[in-house]
Amino acid sequence: MLTDKMYAALNDQIKHELYSAYLYLSMATYYADQNLDGFAHWMEVQAQEEVEHAMKIYKYIQERGNRVILQQIDAPTTEFENPTAPFAAALKHEQYVTSLINNLYTLATEENDYATQVFLQWFVTEQVEEEDNVGKALHLVEQLSGAPAGLILADKQLGKREEE
Ligand code: FEO
């Protein structure tokens, strides 16, 4: 069994991961509406990854003998100023999620919960990758979005993202 504090914090993290999926889907549909199908694809893949993150925690809580209590998920932003804005917002969001994972790890240490520390190490590493992926995509979009041809090129490039 998890301690009460550890359980509550992990249970909360499921909501944050599912909100992330919701946010990236919102960005995907914004791009699809702008006929930027490559950007939309990139965001759809990202959203799928977030559901996988949520499911990892969901299964872990159950493995530890606790019951998951799903919480309300906030509505995501639906309007963006320009095609660069969602990627900039995504990077900020990933930095926020990294801080949440770090807080979970700190709590697992305080609770002397060694199994959860090991479990969370995957997420610590994953967040490095998440920030790097979004940061690189943002950089590409920023570099190329000055001109319509550049935007199409960036769209093509990000449309190649494979599911992991
Ligand atoms: Fe689940 Fe993008 O962090």
Side-chain angles (χ1 to χ4, degrees), residues 21-141:
Y22 225 37
L23 178 64
Y24 295 134
L25 264 188
S26 179
M27 292 172 177
T29 190
Y30 160 81
Y31 282 130
D33 189 52
Q34 307 265 323
N35 293 324
L36 290 166
D37 291 341
F39 291 0
H41 170 75
W42 195 99
M43 287 296 175
E44 282 170 14
V45 173
Q46 186 68 24
Q48 277 168 9
E49 277 196 16
E50 298 302 349
V51 173
E52 284 166 21
H53 295 171
M55 288 308 295
K56 266 186 198 287
I57 302 168
Y58 171 96
K59 285 181 184 152
Y60 178 72
I61 290 175
Q62 292 183 162
E63 270 173 15
R64 293 295 301 272
N66 295 78
R67 184 186 162 190
V68 171
I69 303 289
L70 294 174
Q71 298 173 19
Q72 182 167 336
I73 302 167
D74 291 339
T77 311
T78 55
E79 299 306 325
F80 302 94
E81 265 180 41
N82 53 53
T84 310
F87 279 102
L91 180 58
K92 245 182 159 178
H93 183 69
E94 285 305 326
Q95 288 163 345
Y96 169 64
V97 174
T98 298
S99 75
L100 295 176
I101 297 294
N102 289 345
N103 290 345
L104 284 173
Y105 199 97
T106 301
L107 183 62
T109 308
E110 287 166 359
E111 299 285 290
N112 293 323
D113 185 342
Y114 303 109
T116 300
Q117 287 172 42
V118 172
F119 171 72
L120 287 171
Q121 276 167 14
W122 184 90
F123 283 87
V124 171
T125 307
E126 177 70 3
Q127 279 312 118
V128 174
E129 198 184 299
E130 290 280 86
E131 287 192 31
D132 186 45
N133 281 345
V134 179
K136 281 181 180 152
L138 172 62
H139 190 62
L140 182 76
V141 176

